[in-house]
Amino acid sequence: MSEKLLTPIEIGLTAAIVAIEDHEPLILTARDSDGLAGLPFGPFDAPSHRTFEIGLRAWVEEQTGLRLGYVEQLYTFGDRGRHAEAGDTGAHMVSIGYLALTRAFGGELAATSASFAPWYRFLPWEDWREGPPAIIADDIIPALTGWAEEETPETTRALPRKDRVRFYFGLDGASWDEERVLDRYELLYEAGLVEEARRDGRPAALARKALSALGTSMRFDHRRILATAVARLRAKLKYRPVVFELLPAEFTLTELQYTVEAISGRHLHKQNFRRLVEMEALVEPTGVMSTQTGGRPAALYRFRRDVLQERPAPGLRVRSRR
């Protein structure tokens, strides 16, 4: 009996690198020859890289000039078709995604094609700081409603399409859960409403027109990796002090609130937020006042590192104001 030839596998390393600047969450992107924005990416080279993370750090520094600090592995992305070009019969790419946090980068990036871009440019329906984005009611819900009505009774999913639309987008009494970033993107992909689904040849995308209003597409499955990174960071805010990886060593409470709002995509009540910060005891005053606020001088604070020894899950369990 002849042996079946197996498709070779390659391992790629992809980084969602987040920074905050002027109260906006930014993601580091690099444009390829096709003009599409993507995340910094490179293959894992076993002879050169002892671990995946070492390989990731090496690729990012080589491609952008950034030396990463905080890094954590997100997920392994291996769906066929979401990294291959149409008709590609070459090696299958398995991409290991990482979340990395960096403080605002003031210098020039090594590659002229690399730059920080607002992450809501790619996921515009996730920014609720000024209330529900108009794109949800005007574009997303009508399109998803029509797609959900096409579902046949033979569905194999635990939740039918209509229920997933309602739960993920906070309709008909369901609340908006800011952590369901990936669920929402995957629903739009499944319904064929984002450009990536059309590029991948998804049947739903070929049956309907992609919505151009649904943000800027990214190459391969990088927008899916970005959605995973945003969801992870939003969840982690509540039980780990990761927000301080994005702030300068000294900051005002207003800067802290704006940073939390930028990440969560939600507006927070000022006094409630400050009571929460005081209750969680995550910061301590420096005794110095900042005059850079444009108004009255504001007290500067720093992260209180002793909290890491005092309890196992120090974070900011914020509640939004709708």
Side-chain angles (χ1 to χ4, degrees):
M1 186 173 68
S2 61
E3 293 185 3
K4 181 181 179 181
L5 294 178
L6 300 178
T7 302
I9 297 290
E10 293 183 0
I11 297 176
L13 306 170
T14 308
I17 304 171
V18 178
I20 300 289
E21 188 172 287
D22 296 330
H23 316 316
E24 284 300 318
L26 308 177
I27 191 74
L28 185 60
T29 65
R31 293 194 177 274
D32 207 344
S33 57
D34 57 10
L36 285 174
L39 303 175
F41 168 84
F44 174 67
D45 180 25
S48 303
H49 306 144
R50 183 169 55 85
T51 67
F52 291 152
E53 185 175 321
I54 289 173
L56 178 85
R57 291 178 182 275
W59 276 117
V60 169
E61 186 169 358
E62 178 181 326
Q63 292 177 6
T64 69
L66 276 180
R67 300 192 69 178
L68 296 179
Y70 179 94
V71 170
E72 69 169 273
Q73 191 176 126
L74 285 171
Y75 193 74
T76 299
F77 303 86
D79 291 3
R80 185 66 177 171
R82 298 182 74 159
H83 200 287
E85 302 291 346
D88 191 355
T89 58
H92 178 53
M93 178 65 72
V94 174
S95 184
I96 301 176
Y98 284 82
L99 167 66
L101 307 180
T102 186
R103 292 182 172 88
F105 186 65
E108 292 186 3
L109 295 169
T112 56
S113 61
S115 61
F116 280 101
W119 79 23
Y120 291 122
R121 178 182 300 172
F122 306 100
L123 305 167
W125 55 88
E126 293 293 336
D127 187 2
W128 283 55
R129 287 173 294 176
E130 301 296 330
I135 189 176
I136 294 179
D138 295 347
D139 299 289
I140 292 177
I141 298 307
L144 284 179
T145 299
W147 168 74
E149 290 174 349
E150 298 170 1
E151 186 173 38
T152 61
E154 292 79 20
T155 180
T156 58
R157 287 185 174 266
L159 286 177
R161 292 178 179 179
K162 289 182 179 179
D163 284 344
R164 284 187 285 147
V165 172
R166 182 168 69 89
F167 290 143
Y168 299 165
F169 283 90
L171 305 178
D172 301 329
S175 60
W176 174 269
D177 183 347
E178 66 268 20
E179 295 179 29
R180 287 192 173 274
V181 188
L182 181 60
D183 289 329
R184 285 185 284 271
Y185 175 74
E186 291 287 64
L187 196 64
L188 294 169
Y189 178 91
E190 183 185 344
L193 300 177
V194 292
E195 181 59 29
E196 287 87 338
R198 182 173 300 277
R199 289 205 312 258
D200 294 346
R202 299 283 296 189
L206 301 178
R208 59 177 43 81
K209 183 179 180 181
L211 296 179
S212 59
L214 294 190
T216 303
S217 65
M218 303 182 86
R219 67 173 177 264
F220 303 134
D221 58 354
H222 288 193
R223 193 152 48 150
R224 183 189 188 200
I225 297 174
L226 173 60
T228 307
V230 175
R232 174 72 63 83
L233 186 53
R234 285 180 171 182
K236 206 145 194 174
L237 280 179
K238 299 171 185 177
Y239 63 90
R240 287 287 184 270
V242 291
V243 65
F244 300 105
E245 301 285 347
L246 296 164
L247 286 163
E250 298 181 354
F251 48 84
T252 67
L253 292 183
T254 298
E255 289 173 327
L256 175 59
Q257 178 175 339
Y258 282 154
T259 300
V260 174
E261 288 179 332
I263 295 168
S264 66
R266 305 297 294 267
H267 176 74
L268 304 171
H269 187 279
K270 180 178 178 180
Q271 296 306 321
N272 289 347
F273 178 78
R274 297 199 172 194
R275 280 194 291 268
L276 176 63
V277 171
E278 181 180 354
M279 180 180 68
E280 296 291 342
L282 292 176
V283 302
E284 58 187 7
T286 65
V288 178
M289 303 294 287
S290 171
T291 58
Q292 306 299 315
T293 59
R296 293 192 306 173
L300 286 171
Y301 290 79
R302 59 176 166 249
F303 173 50
R304 193 175 70 85
R305 297 191 177 278
D306 289 347
V307 74
L308 297 172
Q309 282 77 47
E310 293 170 358
R311 59 182 189 271
L316 287 167
R317 296 172 176 80
V318 294
R319 292 184 178 181
S320 61
R321 184 177 69 179
R322 297 253 336 238

